[in-house]
Amino acid sequence: MALETVTTDALGPRIRSLREAMDLSLRDLAERSGVSAPMLSQVERGETSPTLHVGERIAAGLELRLSQLLRLDEDGAVAIVRRSERRKGPAGRGGHRYEILTPPLPGQRAELSRHTLAPGAVTGGPGDPPIHEPGSRETALVGSGTVVLVCDGQHHELHEGDCVTFDADLPHHFENPGDHEAVLLAVLSAGLRRS
């Protein structure tokens, strides 16, 4: 009896893309998944379709479930979050509010959030997200007002239109030193190496 195989034209390029996004060589993924590098190379090039068992091992090496690797958990290529559907975080200390603007899709490697800081407010209080996993990067764009990013003990003043990118696995928070509300958009990218 032949083992059932996973067939999809997009699987090979998806595996290659995910592997490269995690900064893994074929040999690295082979070690993590227990699937040989030559077999992985053939799958990535579309020369062979893996069995379900091999597909599960490849997914595990990429820190995904097989359904995530195959995108079975997703409804399609486009996901829209309407304004009324945003996931709101609990109110932080001193007037920090935030909303997650991206959908909670499995295997998603980046998240967009909108933060509103009242005068004197600081992020990083009770109810705020924790420091992020190793290798995470954050990019923030100040939409209005002035904020100060305190990252690893250094202060960086940012004004409307300024954009900053930093290592989000370092201790950090934003402060609003002004007399007016400040708004910023933040994109959090998952760590490239999550071993």
Side-chain angles (χ1 to χ4, degrees):
M1 178 175 125
L3 291 174
E4 189 172 347
T5 59
V6 177
T7 54
T8 173
D9 293 337
L11 181 61
R14 178 157 165 77
I15 291 171
R16 182 184 306 114
S17 175
L18 290 166
R19 175 177 62 76
E20 290 174 352
M22 294 176 73
D23 198 25
L24 298 174
S25 67
L26 278 170
R27 183 168 289 160
D28 294 334
L29 182 55
E31 290 175 9
R32 292 168 63 114
S33 66
V35 176
S36 72
M39 170 62 97
L40 289 169
S41 179
Q42 289 177 342
V43 170
E44 285 188 359
R45 291 192 314 264
E47 295 174 358
T48 188
S49 295
T51 64
L52 287 175
H53 178 68
V54 170
E56 286 176 340
R57 289 167 55 189
I58 294 170
L62 295 169
E63 299 182 8
L64 299 170
R65 295 186 311 272
L66 180 59
S67 61
Q68 291 174 311
L69 179 62
L70 299 177
R71 293 186 160 157
L72 299 177
D73 297 343
E74 300 176 20
D75 292 332
V78 176
I80 297 173
V81 175
R82 301 289 180 199
R83 174 176 268 207
S84 62
E85 299 169 337
R86 294 177 182 172
R87 294 173 286 149
K88 294 182 181 359
R93 81 180 158 189
H96 171 226
R97 299 184 317 274
Y98 71 95
E99 303 171 298
I100 308 296
L101 306 181
T102 44
L105 296 175
Q108 185 160 287
R109 309 218 21 104
E111 179 178 87
L112 175 65
S113 56
R114 180 178 188 271
H115 299 257
T116 305
L117 293 159
V122 177
T123 66
D128 284 353
I131 297 298
H132 310 292
E133 68 184 20
S136 297
R137 301 276 289 167
E138 188 167 335
T139 299
L141 170 67
V142 181
S144 65
T146 298
V147 297
V148 174
L149 166 64
V150 180
C151 183
D152 204 24
Q154 295 186 9
H155 291 65
H156 308 273
E157 187 169 307
L158 305 166
H159 303 278
E160 183 174 330
D162 290 347
C163 188
V164 63
T165 300
F166 59 94
D167 293 332
D169 55 2
L170 295 174
H172 67 276
H173 67 271
F174 288 94
E175 303 173 353
N176 178 357
D179 297 329
H180 303 286
E181 183 176 88
V183 175
L184 60 97
L185 293 174
V187 177
L188 176 67
S189 300
L192 293 177
R193 289 189 179 271
R194 299 191 303 170
S195 54

